[in-house]
Amino acid sequence: MKHYNIPIFLPELACPFRCVYCNQFSITGKQQLSDIQEVKNTIDKYLDSFKEKERFVEVAFFGGNFTGLPEKMQDDFLKIVQPYLEKGVVNGIRCSTRPDYIDEKRVKILKSFGMKNIELGAQTTNDVILQKCGRGHTFKDIENASQIIVNEGITLGLQMMIGLPFDSFNDDLQTAKDIVRLGAKETRIYPCIVVKDTELEKLYNKGEYKPLSIDDAVEQSATLYEYFNKNDVKVLRIGLHASEDLNGTAYVAGPYHPNFAEMVFSRLWGRKFDKIDEKSDEIVIEVPKNELNHAIGYKGENKKKLEERYKRVVIVEKPQCDVSACNLQTKCKHQNEKSLPIAIIASDSMPNKAKENLSKLGDVVWLEPSDKAYPSISSHPDIFFFCKDERHCNSVIYAKNVDINLPPEIEVIKGEKEVGKKYPDTVPYNAVGVGNTLIHNMLYTDLSIKNLYGKISTKSVQLAVNQGYTRCNLLALDERNFITSDMGIKRVLEANGCNVFYVDPHQITLPGQDYGFFPGCCGLVDDTVVVCGALKHLKECKELRKFIRRNNMKIIELYDGILVDVGSIFFIRKTKN
């Protein structure tokens, strides 16, 4: 059934406050209050334009503080709708208003007139930001008004604004959580912009306010949309209504764009496509018919990104395909199935969801905390084991004072050194070996590892770095391509002609330490990078994904949470019968 709103825009006639960002005339394009005849004419005009017979129609009083109008004026506006309700050509009424202009008596009267939805301009649930923005009400007002509306059986909507002065995206996320908790079934996401003749314009001109960029606003709105969708809150609108004023002289700065919502939905599909890790020559993606343009992307951006990874990309519509279950089909010219590793060495401190998903990839040997090293690394595989050529590893060298408990089919070599509790006794096995190249602080490398490389070839190379925790800080995709969280390692490798991608370590969690290292979140097996956490939590996410895929590798994220340094994940294959 098609849903229609018949919008009746009211200026902020009844609002006693002026928020720092507000010039209501510019935002609504409305400067005078509609009279009764104008409301009737508007309803008739819209009803005449509707083509679908199966439809649900609401008259919506927007743009102002509806319940702040004189009660007689409210009643007059509502009475003009009654004949349409009685005829069944209009199915309900909705309005937007302020949370501090709601009381039980008035809500009961509104309900008696056929009011089915009330939207409150919450904007934020942070009292400090509410006060600094001049909202004139508190979070408690939002809570009280929400409870009254919900208790009366009227659908609650709570509107929010991102990028407000003095806030952060964490504040916006908390507002979204509060919207869900308060029982709202609808919301609108508006980015804060700077318009003329507002207090915010003065702050902006003095350099005291910096609005969100379009890209940041789109990214944040997409994240909020996903959150609301997951929690069954319908997002009625994303972005401000286009108006002649905002498209003209009223706009000063900030993330206003007539196609803002289209950009957000494009970004949402782009996120789906970012998770595709198929190694294919051709990829075919089926999407719902009404989502085809969003899937292709604003100005074709999603398809263009896919074409960087695949020779041929086809995005087609499938009428019966659900948005949450788009069907991915791939055609590969070369796709050799390989057996799973027989054993995976991993830290027992890994988050439970990540542990569950890792166990699906093979048999896991969970390392428990040991008294051989200090607590934050006492169960980390890369402290006690060295794995050469991790993508195709078939043997390990292990610390002399470790009780080995690997399956008998795995080839193991006992090292010469014991692991100790203080640096550098913690790092003899924390080296990276790939092909003919060994990378480590050679002052501390266990002799068994050095001897292994001495036997490999006379062409073996030892690259000395200052960082003793080399494997913690370095992931070798192959002999020429690396990911690191250490600038010193990056400089050494680049000086030797390697391609190195740097990930800021301050984004990585390591219990007991201020931060961890990205390579410590990772393991390698065949053509796949396995990560303990979701790359979306990294500021380098997009470029990192590109770097990995340029090296013909896929990504498995073990869970959707923050990235956790678990001391690397080692995949080892069977070599003995």
Side-chain angles (χ1 to χ4, degrees):
M1 182 179 292
K2 182 72 173 178
H3 183 276
Y4 289 104
N5 272 344
I6 299 177
I8 310 295
F9 285 103
L10 306 174
E12 278 283 16
L13 178 68
C15 185
F17 304 98
R18 183 64 69 220
C19 302
V20 295
Y21 50 79
C22 185
N23 182 335
Q24 190 69 13
F25 299 155
S26 295
I27 294 173
T28 65
K30 184 76 174 179
Q31 299 188 32
Q32 293 182 346
L33 190 66
S34 302
D35 60 29
I36 297 302
Q37 187 59 46
E38 185 181 350
V39 172
K40 186 180 185 305
N41 292 342
T42 300
I43 296 173
D44 290 337
K45 179 181 177 182
Y46 271 88
L47 288 174
D48 289 342
S49 69
F50 298 154
K51 298 179 180 179
E52 289 82 356
K53 292 183 179 179
E54 294 294 322
R55 65 197 186 210
F56 185 90
V57 179
E58 287 183 312
V59 172
F61 293 99
F62 285 149
N65 177 19
F66 185 77
T67 55
L69 295 172
E71 290 187 1
K72 184 181 183 306
M73 190 177 293
Q74 293 179 52
D75 294 348
D76 288 343
F77 280 128
L78 295 171
K79 286 176 182 177
I80 199 67
V81 187
Q82 300 309 298
Y84 299 96
L85 289 171
E86 292 167 4
K87 293 177 184 177
V89 293
V90 169
N91 305 98
I93 306 173
R94 68 165 56 230
C95 74
S96 62
T97 192
R98 288 175 56 92
D100 50 341
Y101 277 73
I102 289 289
D103 61 62
E104 291 184 15
K105 178 183 176 182
R106 194 60 204 165
V107 170
K108 287 181 183 295
I109 294 173
L110 294 178
K111 184 178 179 181
S112 71
F113 276 112
M115 186 73 68
K116 294 183 180 295
N117 302 66
I118 297 178
E119 296 183 46
L120 302 178
Q123 318 312 2
T124 178
T125 57
N126 185 302
D127 275 330
V128 174
I129 300 170
L130 286 170
Q131 190 273 328
K132 289 187 174 181
C133 286
R135 284 292 297 165
H137 65 78
T138 65
F139 177 40
K140 189 65 177 176
D141 293 320
I142 299 172
E143 285 186 307
N144 291 341
S146 297
Q147 186 173 0
I148 290 170
I149 293 166
V150 171
N151 288 348
E152 201 58 46
I154 295 176
T155 299
L156 171 66
L158 287 172
Q159 303 169 1
M160 69 174 296
M161 188 173 287
I162 64 173
L164 285 166
F166 316 109
D167 89 342
S168 68
F169 188 51
N170 284 335
D171 296 316
D172 296 334
L173 288 173
Q174 184 58 54
T175 294
K177 292 176 183 178
D178 289 330
I179 287 173
V180 171
R181 180 178 61 80
L182 292 174
K185 296 301 179 185
E186 300 174 338
T187 189
R188 297 174 193 264
I189 304 170
Y190 296 124
C192 182
I193 67 169
V194 182
V195 296
K196 285 189 70 63
D197 301 325
T198 61
E199 288 299 315
L200 194 58
E201 182 186 19
K202 296 176 184 177
L203 292 175
Y204 173 74
N205 289 335
K206 290 190 291 185
E208 296 178 10
Y209 171 69
K210 182 179 179 181
L212 293 174
S213 66
I214 279 282
D215 191 66
D216 285 344
V218 166
E219 188 72 21
Q220 292 179 16
S221 297
T223 297
L224 291 168
Y225 183 92
E226 288 180 321
Y227 176 79
F228 286 128
N229 190 52
K230 181 180 178 181
N231 287 279
D232 298 320
V233 176
K234 185 177 182 180
V235 180
L236 300 176
R237 184 172 183 86
I238 305 174
L240 291 167
H241 289 271
S243 71
E244 290 183 9
D245 291 307
L246 288 180
N247 289 331
T249 59
Y251 170 79
V252 176
Y256 169 71
H257 196 285
N259 297 317
F260 186 82
E262 181 184 347
M263 293 176 175
V264 173
F265 290 119
S266 172
R267 185 68 52 88
L268 288 165
W269 276 102
R271 289 181 178 182
K272 289 177 182 285
F273 297 159
D274 282 344
K275 296 178 181 179
I276 297 173
D277 291 314
E278 298 294 330
K279 288 184 64 178
S280 312
D281 296 313
E282 177 178 315
I283 188 167
V284 178
I285 303 173
E286 295 176 341
V287 302
K289 183 177 181 180
N290 61 347
E291 289 288 325
L292 182 61
N293 289 337
H294 293 152
I296 293 171
Y298 180 67
K299 295 186 176 180
E301 62 182 359
N302 294 333
K303 187 175 183 182
K304 290 175 184 176
K305 286 174 66 177
L306 287 168
E307 287 172 342
E308 294 175 4
R309 296 154 49 195
Y310 302 99
K311 292 182 180 178
R312 183 168 179 263
V313 176
V314 179
I315 303 176
V316 296
E317 62 183 43
K318 186 176 182 181
Q320 303 305 317
C321 179
D322 183 73
V323 175
S324 62
C326 62
N327 184 29
L328 169 66
Q329 300 177 349
T330 58
K331 300 177 181 180
C332 309
K333 291 183 178 179
H334 305 288
Q335 204 166 26
N336 299 318
E337 292 295 326
K338 297 184 179 181
S339 60
L340 286 170
I342 189 172
I344 308 168
I345 308 176
S347 171
D348 188 53
S349 62
M350 184 179 290
N352 288 335
K353 187 62 177 180
K355 291 170 72 172
E356 177 185 332
N357 289 327
L358 183 63
S359 297
K360 297 175 183 178
L361 302 181
D363 297 323
V364 185
V365 176
W366 297 108
L367 294 188
E368 297 181 355
S370 164
D371 61 0
K372 304 296 191 299
Y374 56 84
S376 59
I377 61 170
S378 63
S379 63
H380 282 196
D382 56 23
I383 298 300
F384 303 100
F385 296 89
F386 169 79
C387 290
K388 180 184 180 300
D389 294 319
E390 289 184 46
R391 289 177 63 175
H392 311 288
C393 184
N394 55 26
S395 66
V396 296
I397 297 175
Y398 66 97
K400 185 177 181 179
N401 58 335
V402 170
D403 295 326
I404 193 74
N405 190 29
L406 293 178
E409 299 92 344
I410 299 298
E411 181 179 338
V412 295
I413 303 168
K414 181 182 285 190
E416 298 287 332
K417 292 186 177 183
E418 295 185 349
V419 167
K421 293 186 177 181
K422 294 183 178 181
Y423 186 89
D425 296 334
T426 49
V427 301
Y429 302 91
N430 203 261
V432 170
V434 55
N436 294 327
T437 304
L438 174 65
I439 307 166
H440 199 209
N441 186 322
M442 301 302 172
L443 296 174
Y444 310 124
T445 313
D446 184 79
L447 186 60
S448 298
I449 299 173
K450 290 184 176 179
N451 288 342
L452 175 64
Y453 273 81
K455 295 175 183 178
I456 292 174
S457 168
T458 56
K459 296 182 180 179
S460 63
V461 176
Q462 295 186 6
L463 291 181
V465 295
N466 290 329
Q467 176 60 268
Y469 290 107
T470 306
R471 176 57 187 86
C472 293
N473 280 280
L474 185 64
L475 191 69
L477 304 186
D478 56 37
E479 289 186 81
R480 309 307 300 171
N481 296 281
F482 299 85
I483 301 170
T484 187
S485 285
D486 185 274
M487 291 302 297
I489 292 176
K490 183 176 188 290
R491 286 190 288 268
V492 170
L493 293 178
E494 287 180 338
N496 283 271
C498 299
N499 302 309
V500 187
F501 190 97
Y502 177 78
V503 177
D504 185 348
H506 295 86
Q507 306 167 93
I508 311 302
T509 295
L510 175 57
Q513 301 294 328
D514 292 338
Y515 56 87
F517 308 108
F518 176 73
C521 306
C522 303
L524 296 166
V525 56
D526 298 329
D527 61 354
T528 302
V529 178
V530 180
V531 188
C532 185
L535 297 187
K536 68 182 181 181
H537 298 292
L538 296 175
K539 61 187 178 185
E540 304 92 350
C541 174
K542 293 180 183 178
E543 294 305 315
L544 177 58
R545 287 186 182 277
K546 288 181 182 179
F547 182 80
I548 292 172
R549 286 167 178 151
R550 278 200 300 268
N551 285 280
N552 298 311
M553 298 190 74
K554 299 184 292 185
I555 305 163
I556 292 178
E557 295 162 298
L558 292 177
Y559 81 123
D560 197 47
I562 58 175
L563 291 125
V564 182
D565 185 338
V566 290
S568 310
I569 308 168
F570 292 147
F571 296 79
I572 307 130
R573 294 190 177 280
K574 177 179 177 180
T575 59
K576 299 177 181 179
N577 296 320

